[in-house]
Amino acid sequence: MKSKIAAHFRPSRRTSHTYERLKQCKGCGSYTSLWDDTCLYCGAEGKFTPLLPLLQTIMKRHAQRDVLIVGTGALAAIVLSKNLTEMLISLLAGIALIVLYLLLRKKYTPYLEKSLLNELLQSENRTIREGLLLDTEAAAADLKAEDYKLAYEKLREIGYLFTGNQVKILKIICLNHFNLRKDMDLELSTLLPEAFDIDFVLYLFEVSKVNPELVKRDAIDYTIRYRSEIEALPGGHIALALVFTAALRVKAYVIQYQDQIADFIEELPRERLIRLCHLVAEGPEDFPQLYPRLTALLKQKHESDPELQGII
């Protein structure tokens, strides 16, 4: 692999719901999750409408249609009235029905929006999927052109909606071309591949060094599942040690993965070893596998260290 590059990623906008990342081209009806203002399908520029305003427009049209239907019914009643009294009653009834409809619609708007959204997403599911696949092809073209930063930024947006293994692998390939830093907006759990993947292990190794807070249960479970494959790689033992060292952040992780942590306690940096000793000292009975291995290590290699000897 070529030398790694420094990168500052484009900020990814925050949304309450993932569907808010979608926008539709008014020219051809295709969807995209990218920030570009040019439609990848038809080439139109400046014709995108975000899904939420699109939904609100449909809601408004439905309301106008319903009011028109009620108004038409009231008008028909007025026309068919035999006298002025019936005409007045028909008019007042029509107005009352419209007002009642609008009040009820306002009250139930959130439920109507949710129902309409589900209906829209189901009916447009194929078109949305095709649009996201087109976005993915654009990102893959950037990757092929070695524009790893732009490719990753696109794949990150696509990944909020399209969580397939292909997108994960492409993102991992991009990320392995960057010099990772703690201040970067990195991801890990969202990148877990469906099977053993060397590129992901390389990325996991780097993330465990610069941002161990990202190492959660799912990443640790992945490491355990493919431990033999990882250990067979050059530097695989170090990678495993880093992952299980990251587990020391959370006491529940230490209890759950104490067997694996025990296998790597000799590789723990001193500050991590001190952290582990304090955790175990809080309740040795919670660590039946780890406690004897830890005390044996302290006796064999750290007997002259008063700080370590005084913890347990």
Side-chain angles (χ1 to χ4, degrees), residues 196-198 201-202 227-238:
F196 175 70
D197 184 82
I198 295 177
V201 173
L202 293 174
R227 176 171 173 172
S228 59
E229 291 89 341
I230 295 172
E231 204 148 20
L233 297 173
H237 187 81
I238 299 174

Side-chain angles (χ1 to χ4, degrees), residues 170-230:
L170 291 176
K171 284 199 286 185
I172 293 166
I173 292 172
C174 291
L175 286 164
N176 279 336
H177 283 84
F178 304 131
N179 280 318
L180 303 185
R181 306 182 310 276
K182 187 176 179 62
D183 65 317
M184 297 174 78
D185 186 16
L186 299 174
E187 54 182 318
L188 184 60
S189 292
T190 53
L191 295 176
L192 288 168
E194 295 174 357
F196 175 70
D197 184 82
I198 295 177
D199 288 321
F200 175 75
V201 173
L202 293 174
Y203 177 70
L204 175 61
F205 174 67
E206 295 297 327
V207 168
S208 299
K209 287 194 293 185
V210 302
N211 198 346
E213 291 82 5
L214 292 177
V215 180
K216 311 291 186 185
R217 275 195 176 91
D218 48 9
I220 300 173
D221 289 340
Y222 178 92
T223 303
I224 295 172
R225 189 181 313 125
Y226 298 108
R227 176 171 173 172
S228 59
E229 291 89 341
I230 295 172

Side-chain angles (χ1 to χ4, degrees), residues 96-109:
L97 285 173
I98 291 174
V99 170
L100 179 62
Y101 168 79
L102 293 175
L103 290 174
L104 288 172
R105 188 176 181 86
K106 183 178 180 181
K107 180 179 180 180
Y108 293 103
T109 291

Side-chain angles (χ1 to χ4, degrees), residues 55-71 98 101-102 105-106 109 112 116:
L55 185 67
Q56 292 169 347
T57 299
I58 296 174
M59 287 282 293
K60 185 177 180 180
R61 288 175 181 171
H62 284 185
Q64 291 172 342
R65 177 202 62 195
D66 295 341
V67 169
L68 182 61
I69 291 173
V70 174
I98 291 174
Y101 168 79
L102 293 175
R105 188 176 181 86
K106 183 178 180 181
T109 291
L112 292 172
L116 182 60

Side-chain angles (χ1 to χ4, degrees), residues 255-256 258-259 262 284-294:
I255 295 174
Q256 181 176 353
Q258 56 184 289
D259 281 344
E285 67 280 359
D286 293 329
F287 305 94
Q289 292 83 29
L290 185 56
Y291 179 73
R293 299 276 297 271
L294 182 59

